[in-house]
Amino acid sequence: MANPQLVMYDEEFKQINVVLEKLLREANAKVIFLVDKNGQLITGCGETERFDTTSLASLTAGNIAATGGLAKLIGEKEFSILFHEGEKDNLHISIVAGRVILVVLFDTRSSLGLVRLRVKKASDELGSIFEKLMQKSEEKEKSGESEFPFAEITDDDIDNLFS
Amino acid sequence: MSFINYASREINCKIVYYGPGLCGKTTNLQFVYQKTAPEAKGKMISLATETERTLFFDFLPLALGEIRGFKTRFHLYTVPGQVFYDASRKLILKGVDGVVFVADSQEERMDANMESVENLRINLIEQGYDLDKMPYVIQYNKRDLPNVVSIEELRRELNPTGVPEFEACATTGEGVFETLKAVAKLILFDLKKGK
């Protein structure tokens, strides 16, 4: 398969949120999101309730995919940073560990330079967390150990979803 | 690929509606959007041209409820059907868990259907997927129109492997939920097998 399945566990989820909260403070940002390259929102912090986070995640992933396509056309591997400047708010989008997308929304209280600097540091920390996460899910898969709740799923369970 | 979050107890899956231009992919999503309870759906996003042709994708998030304590979410995407948008179509197939092929039943669209299903297969291979080994259903749309090809012929040309198939009229909604339910079911059973 092109991309192994992304599985998130409690321990790493907490670690990731700690890194994001720190980045939010240090970069003076308004909101930070972490999105899977396939468009699924992983987590967010800051004023998340003001935004339609699901749409934001999907469009960000679409954006990264489209610019990634452009990069390949001109012979680049990917464009690892995108920056969108608005009148008030700006978006800094970057790829972390080759598979997740870090989205930082900030306004005039911060600056592009500061955000870039802090994102770089946070990216390294996130990178190592995701590396551990991948190893962990691989090991669990190999050992056949799975807490996966769907193993005993029945036809009725699925039918109930659509009732 | 699906995203399983043990921390927030969620499972997210991605379904892509594929098919030739004007076959009714967006109409399928619009009907699902209209008929879904407000609390179960997010905003539908359409990145379309001024003439309402899909430019990049449509997106509809659905939260169908819980299975064994896990919130089950499906993200529905359509691709732009027109031939020259192939680069965009490839991008949308990234990380797909299940595919719905929407065929246009009209006689004059048979060539377009066949070209599109072949294009789907090739684009999936490029992403490392095999259409024969993944959740896949076919919808024969526009069954209400007068100049339609028989189901037997559609099946022969488009569904040689005998995947689940549905007759539909997406404008009135006939067959729309049956199709969605079938592909969702296949995806969940795939997850169950631990693929």
Side-chain angles (χ1 to χ4, degrees):
Chain A
M1 281 292 162
N3 252 333
Q5 192 171 54
L6 182 60
V7 181
M8 179 66 67
Y9 300 98
D10 255 330
E11 191 190 347
E12 283 77 13
F13 193 68
K14 282 187 189 133
Q15 291 173 354
I16 288 168
N17 279 322
V18 170
V19 175
L20 294 190
E21 293 283 354
K22 194 171 88 184
L23 176 60
L24 186 80
R25 278 195 315 273
E26 292 186 346
N28 243 342
K30 282 169 93 172
V31 195
I32 295 177
F33 297 106
L34 201 62
V35 178
D36 180 29
K37 263 192 172 176
N38 301 331
Q40 328 268 17
L41 179 72
I42 298 171
T43 182
C45 69
E47 307 164 21
T48 47
E49 68 287 344
R50 280 183 49 214
F51 299 91
D52 176 354
T53 50
T54 316
S55 302
L56 209 136
S58 148
L59 287 174
T60 307
N63 197 346
I64 283 286
T67 39
L70 281 176
K72 286 212 178 67
L73 283 180
I74 64 163
E76 277 289 325
K77 194 173 143 260
E78 63 184 10
F79 295 124
S80 54
I81 296 177
L82 306 179
F83 175 57
H84 300 304
E85 189 176 288
E87 262 177 36
K88 292 199 295 282
D89 292 330
N90 314 295
L91 275 178
H92 183 283
I93 302 173
S94 55
I95 301 174
V96 176
R99 77 162 294 164
V100 291
I101 305 167
L102 180 63
V103 185
V104 181
L105 190 142
F106 64 98
D107 60 14
T108 47
R109 286 173 293 173
S110 185
S111 69
L112 178 58
L114 179 67
V115 171
R116 276 192 80 149
L117 182 74
R118 301 300 189 201
V119 161
K120 199 165 186 305
K121 203 173 135 217
S123 293
D124 293 340
E125 293 174 32
L126 289 172
S128 60
I129 298 174
F130 272 96
E131 205 169 296
K132 268 193 293 176
L133 191 63
M134 294 301 152
Q135 275 174 3
K136 191 168 172 180
S137 52
E138 255 172 51
E139 278 165 20
K140 286 212 177 195
E141 200 172 302
K142 267 190 205 142
S143 66
E145 175 198 345
S146 170
E147 312 142 47
F148 192 53
F150 274 32
E152 289 131 38
I153 190 178
T154 61
D155 262 2
D156 285 346
D157 286 332
I158 296 174
D159 282 331
N160 284 340
L161 279 183
F162 288 88
S163 58
Chain B
M1 289 269 47
S2 52
F3 168 39
I4 303 171
N5 190 337
Y6 285 100
S8 54
R9 299 191 76 75
E10 281 179 11
I11 293 176
N12 291 301
C13 305
K14 178 172 177 178
I15 299 173
V16 174
Y17 283 71
Y18 212 91
L22 293 175
C23 69
K25 301 174 288 295
T26 302
T27 314
N28 259 276
L29 254 65
Q30 281 166 343
F31 187 81
V32 172
Y33 182 75
Q34 282 163 19
K35 293 291 169 192
T36 307
E39 65 275 14
K41 68 187 174 190
K43 215 164 132 191
M44 178 164 166
I45 289 180
S46 285
L47 302 178
T49 66
E50 284 176 359
T51 52
E52 295 195 8
R53 300 299 303 270
T54 303
L55 181 63
F56 194 8
F57 59 77
D58 303 304
F59 168 67
L60 174 61
L62 286 183
L64 287 181
E66 290 194 0
I67 291 187
R68 313 262 153 166
F70 270 69
K71 276 180 238 148
T72 312
R73 295 218 169 100
F74 288 97
H75 290 177
L76 276 47
Y77 286 82
T78 67
V79 297
Q82 294 175 85
V83 176
F84 60 93
Y85 286 133
D86 199 39
S88 305
R89 271 195 296 277
K90 287 180 193 174
L91 299 177
I92 293 152
L93 284 176
K94 276 187 186 173
V96 64
D97 294 300
V99 179
V100 174
F101 184 81
V102 182
D104 189 330
S105 296
Q106 297 177 91
E107 213 177 333
E108 64 269 26
R109 298 300 285 163
M110 271 316 275
D111 285 346
N113 286 331
M114 281 148 73
E115 190 184 340
S116 180
V117 86
E118 191 53 36
N119 176 257
L120 166 64
R121 193 171 282 279
I122 292 167
N123 283 345
L124 280 173
I125 290 171
E126 262 184 46
Q127 306 286 343
Y129 297 103
D130 181 350
L131 185 60
D132 297 328
K133 290 186 185 142
M134 64 186 300
Y136 173 46
V137 302
I138 297 182
Q139 179 186 83
Y140 305 123
N141 194 21
K142 308 197 185 183
R143 295 311 294 169
D144 57 322
L145 295 183
N147 54 336
V148 295
V149 175
S150 72
I151 291 295
E152 290 70 36
E153 191 178 340
L154 282 162
R155 186 177 294 144
R156 194 169 57 239
E157 299 292 353
L158 303 173
N159 191 10
T161 51
V163 298
E165 51 185 16
F166 300 88
E167 293 187 50
C169 170
T171 47
T172 61
E174 208 189 316
V176 168
F177 273 97
E178 288 79 355
T179 311
L180 174 60
K181 194 171 166 177
V183 75
K185 214 168 186 171
L186 290 177
I187 292 173
L188 293 174
F189 273 111
D190 239 25
L191 279 175
K192 180 183 170 177
K193 281 185 270 173
K195 271 189 182 172

